[in-house]
Each structure stands twice: as C-alpha cells, then as structure tokens.
Amino acid sequence: MTMLGDRQQLSYIAAQAADARVNVELETEGMTLNIGPQHPATHGTLRIVARLDGEQVVWAEPVAGYMHRGYEKLTEVRTFPQVTALINRIDWLGSFANEVPFILAAEKLMGVEAPPRAQHIRTILFELSRIANVSLFLGDLGVQLGAVTPVFFAFRDREYVLNLIEAATGGRFHPNFDRIGGLKDDLPAGFIDETRTVMVKLRRFCDEIESLLFGNEIFQSRTRGVGVIPRDVALSYGLSGANLRASGVEWDLRRDQDLPMAWNKADWKVWTHPDGDSFARCWVRLQEVRESTKIVDQLLDTIPAGPVMTKVPKIIKVPEGEAWVSTENPLGEMGYYVVSKGDLGPFRVKIRSASFNNISIVPWVLRGVYVPDIITILASLYFILGDIDR
Amino acid sequence: MGLVDRGRLPKPLTSLFNLGRSYSLWVYQWGLACCAIEMGAAFGSPRYDVMRLGVIPLPASPRQADLVVISGTVTDKMAPAIKRLYEQMPEPKYVISMGSCANCGGPYWDSYSVTKGVDQIIPVDVYVPGCPPRPEALLEGIVLLQQRIKNEDMGARWRGEGTRPMSAVDGSSAEKGGVPVVVD
Amino acid sequence: MFPLSSTETTAEVRDDVRAAALAEVTGALGDAVRDSLLKPGDDIWVRVDATAWRTTVETLKSLGYGYFCFLSAIDWMPSPYGKGEDDPTEPAVERDMTIRQGYAGGESRFQVFARFVKPCETVGVTIKTDVPESMSVPSISAVFAGANWHERETHEMFGISFDGHPDLRNMYLPTDFEGHPLRKDFPLLARMVKPWPGIVDVEPLPGEDSNGEDDAS
C-alpha cells in the first residue's frame, strides 16, 4: 500500500473539515444551488444539487437519469449482432472500445477466438478511440477552467483520428465494426502510413496541451490539492481507469488481464500519480494519450498476416452460460456480464460502466469544496452521461 | 416598430429585416447525447466554423437565443425541461432537431424511458437525420433554416397567423413556411 | 487465452490461482456457502445465503477483495412476451415458463449478484444470493460505499429493497414511473402494438437449412 503524501493528507483534512469550520465561524443562511440538468459545465445532462454555506458546499448530490435510455432492457429484445449497434452509444466518444468487451464475452461463451490479425486491428482501433476520447477531455478541461483555446486544438486534432476511424470502419462516431469472431473488414490501403503521421500530430497536440494548460500557474493552483481522493476510498467506490491510477493504484486491465488482444505485444508504461487530486487525474490522462500513440505506433509495425474473421455460423446462437469480460476503456473499467440461454439474443446483460462508479463518489468528494471547484472536480473525474445513465 | 406590431410591414422592409435576422442567428446549444459532440464540432471547431454562416453559438441563456438545436436523445425525464426552455425563448424562435433520437426516438424506438421525437413537445422547423449526423449535415440544416427565414412573412407571424412564406410562387421546398424541412 | 466454453469444467485446464482463491473464499465463508463454481481461466461464482449477504461481503473485503466492481440482479423467469415480436392480432403464444437459474444454481426467481476484485492482482469473484419472498436483501453500502448507487438502481429496476440502505430513491426514472423495467414481465409497449418488422432477419437464407449450422466462410 502506498502512503499518502504530506500534501495530499493535508488537503484531504482541510477539505473534510471545511464545512464544520464555516459553521462555527459564521452564522450564515444556507442556500441551495441547482446546476443543470442542462448546463455547459456539466458537459451533458447531469444535474447537481448543492447546498451551500457561503461559498462552500455543505452537501451535494448528482441527479442522474436525464439520459437513461434503458440499455439493459433493450439488449434483452435484440439479437447478439444487433446489440453492438446499441452499445456503441454508451460512451459516445470512444465507441469502438464499448463493443470490444461485449464481443469478447460473446466469443468466450461461444468458444471462438478472433484470428491474430483481427485481435491486432481491434487493439489499434481500441487505442484510436481512446485517443479520440481523451483528447477531447484535454480540450474540454480548459473550457471548464475558463480557457477557451484548448478546445479548438482538441477539435482540430481529434478530427484526424476520427478520419482514421472513418477510413477503417465507415463511421466517424459509431463504427459498429466489431463482429463475433473477428472484424467486419480489413484495414483500407494507406491506413498504416496515414496513422503514423496522425500519431505524430497527436503527440505534438499533447505537448501543446501540456505547455498551454499543465504548466499554467492558474491551472495548477485550481487543480492541485483540490478534490483529493485517497486510495482506499477510491477502491471502495469502485473508481477505475485514470481516476484510480491518479490515487496511486498501479492497476491497468490492459496489462494485468489475459485477454485475446494485442496490448502485451507492445512496450508501454502504466502511469500513476500519488496525489489523488484533480491535477493528478488530468495528468495521468495526458500521459495515457501519449502511451496510446506509442502503442498504436508499435502495433502498426507488427500486424500479422491472415484473415480478419474466423468461421462462425451465419445465424449466431450463443450457448447457455454466463460470462464476464471487462476492459480498460477510456473512462475506466467497462464490463459486460452476459447471461445467455442458448437463444438468438442475450437473456440478461449487466453493463458495468465506468462513469457510473466514478460519479458515485461525487457526494463524498464535493463536501467542503468551494463552488468554482465543483466544476473542476467534475471535469477531472471525467464522465460521459451515456456512460452514467446507460 | 409600430408597423410590425400592427402586422403591416412593407415588403422591402420585411426583406431587409429577414436578411438581418437570418445572418445573426444566436444558437442555444441544447446538447444531450452523442449528437452534442458533433454539434460541438460544427460550432466549436476550426474545421467546420459555423460563424462564417452568420451564426453565433454562444448565448448565455435561452432568453437571448433565436434558435435552439436539440441534439440527442430526449428522455421523458428531460422533456419538461425542454418545454420550459422553449417557452423562455423570445419570438420569433426556431428549432432544429438533430439526429435520429430527437427526430423519432432512433435506436431507442422501443425503450420505456425515451420520448419518441422532440416534436411531441415543441414544434420543429428543420430535421437533420443521422446517427449522429455529420457536422456538415447540421450546417446544411442551418442554411435551409436561413433560406426559410429570408422568405418569412413577419407580419403574419405578429398577427398570430403562424409561419408562412411571403409569396406563394417560390418553388424550393425549403422556403415553404409552416412545414418542417428535412435535410437530405 | 479463453478455454472453450462448456458447462462442465474439464480436468485438462488447470487454474491454480483461481482454485486457491475459491478454496480461500469458501473456507472463510463456511456454512453460508450454498454452491460454488470454478471455470478455469475464467471466473469464480459463489452463491451464499441471503441472511449472510453482508457478512459475506465483509469477509471478502477482509480477504483483500477491496475493489467493488458492480452489484445488480437477475430475473430468471423467461419473459412472457418473448422478444416482443408476436403479432398482436394472433392468439397468444405458449411459452416455456420454467425458471432455470444459471451458474452456482439457485432457488428463487430473483437473484442479486455482485462482483469484487483483488486490486492489481485481477482475481475476481462473483457472488450471488437468492432473494427471499420478502424481496429484501441486506444492504452492503456501509461496507462498500460504491454499492449505494448500485442498490438504488437495482431497487428501481427490480423492486428489490435493501435493508439498511440510507435512501432508496429512484436513480433514473421519474418518481411517478410505475413498474420495474428490468423484470421480465415488464412489457415494452412500443413493441406490442405491431409485429416487429425485423423478424425477417431470422428467416433462413435460400438454399440453406434453417438451423443455422452452415459456416459463413
């Protein structure tokens, strides 16, 4: 177990003592602040109801459900290939990454495995969608702090990645490209060279964001020591992804799990940060985009030859059983618990989405912070509404 | 603008007003789901740059907006908020419904919690289909809306006779008032 | 890599890590365990008594399963509406309504299940429990704070209440919503009004037998 750093410990104590302190020092009248359900700062339709004492939050509660579309019920009336078209839209910034764990779960139940080339291309597209997802986060981060410029950079460079995904899959946003037993198609001609140049651009984008934002004094003073989440609290709330790694837990499902994907064929690093504050979460994500570009670069060199689709029946019936597969998605651990009864469609799909757990910590972490910090903490926790409400 | 209030406005003056209105559209971005990102790409990115069309995507409140883009899945829980937002907007106001979910429910046509189309709550002027539509499709929807605004009889609107074109001779379907337009 | 999926565990595939984990868990839980299943290279399932649900979770936490993954429930009753693809003008279709539980067995229609993982080691365990007639299971939100929202969601979707939960408000749906959507007998009304047009998808292709055994080559 890693020990809490001094600064982390101090800021944690300060945040927790804040509401008590205010009540003793000043007699103030409480006020309820309602943010949302539609508010630019919550990038989506999350509603936050906060009770304030002066400028400090005494109690805050997110109200979800404004984007609840009933995925788990709808999957029960769809066939297995139809489900992938739906679950693309859970985390709409990294759509391809949503398909992979579901397809892997179905393949696990059927006892088939995608050919090596398909596994390789899946991993490349998975990392491309991570880059598309997190690069928008890095731009959006600036907006939440009042700096508009980074979002233009993010939208500019994200387009290159979307073009790549579109070239390979035919869809900018929702590829629906993953099939049980492989992929719909092979990579298009010229994809590899184009991807290499784009990865160079993305690394330059990371450098730009780092010098624009992360070195900025205002950015640092607004994020360092704000919204500290210690390791144990993070684990008990089920935080995952960069939020967990920013609290000092060195755990990445891409590395630590044995899945038929190609991450272990590349050399890359799992970044962690001991502080657990907003800055740490943002910083870990920035490093992850860099690592992803490196993973893609290495995997492009070693794509094996062969087919992209294994032999599967035309009408897919999945044998009876239960399977759980989760992967390290851009937002954190995303998993599907698939129950099949030997039918054309799943009997029950439990979707474990990362943001749902990541946001459930909000009432805890917002206690005692100042009102402007609500926005930066929410931004650093990074959620996608579809991923919370499903 | 006493002339406008009485519903009598000379045609050249109307054309002038309409020209002005169509090229200073203040858009309120009602981003809900996936389409919100494509709307963000259309409005906020240097590649698509909506401001060259005379559209300003940054009003602070719906009370300052002429146009609202409903982009994404409308749920039954969200519907009252959308209705309320629409009522806050000053006349004349326009609505673009972006994406299959806002048009008709889209992939969630059989869901228990999704409103099957935002047009059940508020009137829609332009439908932009797609899941999600590309940013270019949204820009075309805005251009179609501008064509309609340019040809609108403001006097009729003030007299409470609804949206209708200034003259009946225009051929383009986009310029017909009252009927929603679909981007194809 | 994945072993071939089969319902019986074969002797050839060994998984010492998970076997040891299962022995550790069942040993610590003692009498509370009703049934368990180990699929080598895949996962561990343990079914416990509903009264021992909270102590089970506390035991798992003390064994090092400190990462709360999810909590949810399953309704094992087959849907009386099938996939909602019936023609409403035809007489109602007869369906096999026998309740068959999944891995690690079961005795009731509803089961609550949750997953806990040892962080960094990525060894997880899925625990299940039968929901008694009272439709009430002890809450674990005091043990794992993250379970709070998951229990609210499960309560809303299945109508299962959790004893000791601070506030079982609706998570997603408006407060006046009636019914529990994830119960199998909750109908999707939009599918009921007309025959599902996509039914053509499952018709056999010409020149091919209908059981779908042909390879896609």
Side-chain angles (χ1 to χ4, degrees), chain A residues 10-22:
Chain A
L10 282 175
S11 57
Y12 171 56
I13 293 165
Q16 292 302 300
D19 56 328
R21 193 180 65 233
V22 169

Side-chain angles (χ1 to χ4, degrees), chain C residues 11 36 39 42 51 54 71 74 83 93 98 114 174 198 200 205:
Chain C
S36 64
K39 282 183 79 182
D42 188 353
T51 51
R54 198 184 143 143
L71 179 144
I74 305 186
K83 286 191 181 294
V93 187
T98 47
V200 73
L205 296 176

Side-chain angles (χ1 to χ4, degrees), chain C residues 124-148:
Chain C
V125 56
T126 306
I127 55 170
K128 292 183 175 184
T129 187
D130 297 327
V131 178
E133 289 289 311
S134 60
M135 293 297 281
S136 173
V137 171
S139 167
I140 59 163
S141 59
V143 188
F144 281 96
N148 185 325

Side-chain angles (χ1 to χ4, degrees), chain A residues 157-175:
Chain A
D157 288 335
R158 191 170 172 272
E159 283 292 327
Y160 298 122
V161 185
L162 290 184
N163 286 349
L164 285 178
I165 297 177
E166 188 180 10
T169 68
R172 259 166 74 88
F173 250 58
H174 301 314

Side-chain angles (χ1 to χ4, degrees), chain C residues 21 24-26 28-29 58-66 118:
Chain C
E24 187 189 33
V25 169
T26 49
L29 291 175
E58 281 165 354
T59 314
L60 283 176
K61 193 172 189 178
S62 64
L63 286 177
Y65 292 88
K118 277 186 186 171

